[in-house]
């Protein structure tokens, strides 16, 4: 009887352990460029921020484009941009439609992510983002954005 209980318990443990295994969730094709970014935007000697921008994959998931979205925190920009995963760059030399604030267009150039390229306000090493952005309703003003990927630490902006 003791053997029966022992083998039954071993079987239950094995079944329980097998049921706890989870399937891995695959990453999107643009995971290296995606994230929440605390960004400062500068132009003509003025600075705004930090404000949150986010970058994320498109539904194509082909590694060729990303969304850049300021969540209404700066200008109301939500644009789909070409990207290059090998060089961690994004942007377009021609204006693209702005889904976030129609009918203006937005030109984003020199977009780049650098792994471990900056520090958060608390001094933690974080990935850096930088890009230039120009809005059709403010022609000639090129805004320079730079910041860091949110780390989730400190319960705040990091």
């Amino acid at each position: 009887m003791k053997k029966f209980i022992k083998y039954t318990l071993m079987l239950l443990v094995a079944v329980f352990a097998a049921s706890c295994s989870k399937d891995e969730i695959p990453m999107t094709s643009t995971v290296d460029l995606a994230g929440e970014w605390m960004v400062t935007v500068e132009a003509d000697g003025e600075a705004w921020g930090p404000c949150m921008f986010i970058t994320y994959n498109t539904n194509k998931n082909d590694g060729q484009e990303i969304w850049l979205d300021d969540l209404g925190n700066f200008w109301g920009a939500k644009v789909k941009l070409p990207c290059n995963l090998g060089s961690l760059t994004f942007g377009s030399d021609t204006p693209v439609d702005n889904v976030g604030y129609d009918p203006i267009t937005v030109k984003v150039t020199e977009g780049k992510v650098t792994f471990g390229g900056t520090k958060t306000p608390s001094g933690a090493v974080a990935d850096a983002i930088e890009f230039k952005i120009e809005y059709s309703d403010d022609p000639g003003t090129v805004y320079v954005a730079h910041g860091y990927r949110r780390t989730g630490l400190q319960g705040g902006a990091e």
Side-chain angles (χ1 to χ4, degrees):
M1 183 68 168
K2 288 183 181 181
K3 284 185 180 182
F4 175 75
I5 293 172
K6 179 179 174 183
Y7 289 125
T8 302
L9 285 174
M10 288 175 31
L11 178 64
L12 286 174
V13 169
V15 168
F16 180 75
S19 68
C20 291
S21 65
K22 295 184 180 184
D23 295 333
E24 280 196 37
I25 299 171
M27 294 293 177
T28 64
S29 62
T30 58
V31 67
D32 289 341
L33 293 173
E36 296 178 343
W37 305 92
M38 297 308 296
V39 173
T40 300
V41 183
E42 300 177 32
D44 299 329
E46 292 187 58
W48 299 267
C51 53
M52 184 183 291
F53 279 66
I54 60 174
T55 52
Y56 50 95
N57 198 28
T58 66
N59 62 353
K60 283 184 182 179
N61 196 29
D62 63 2
Q64 301 296 309
E65 56 190 8
I66 60 169
W67 284 101
L68 173 68
D69 189 343
D70 73 1
L71 304 170
N73 293 320
F74 182 66
W75 205 280
K78 181 179 180 180
V79 294
K80 194 183 302 186
L81 300 165
C83 67
N84 181 313
L85 297 173
S87 61
L88 297 176
T89 58
F90 59 92
S92 174
D93 290 329
T94 59
V96 295
D97 291 332
N98 183 7
V99 176
Y101 182 23
D102 192 41
I104 71 166
T105 58
V106 177
K107 184 165 76 169
V108 177
T109 58
E110 301 179 37
K112 180 156 184 62
V113 169
T114 306
F115 294 145
T118 192
K119 291 189 177 186
T120 66
S122 69
V125 175
D127 298 339
I129 191 170
E130 56 187 279
F131 56 91
K132 293 181 179 178
I133 189 165
E134 183 177 1
Y135 303 90
S136 64
D137 62 343
D138 189 13
T141 303
V142 177
Y143 296 86
V144 178
H146 55 90
Y148 61 91
R149 189 187 314 254
R150 283 194 56 203
T151 63
L153 299 175
Q154 304 294 322
E158 292 185 37

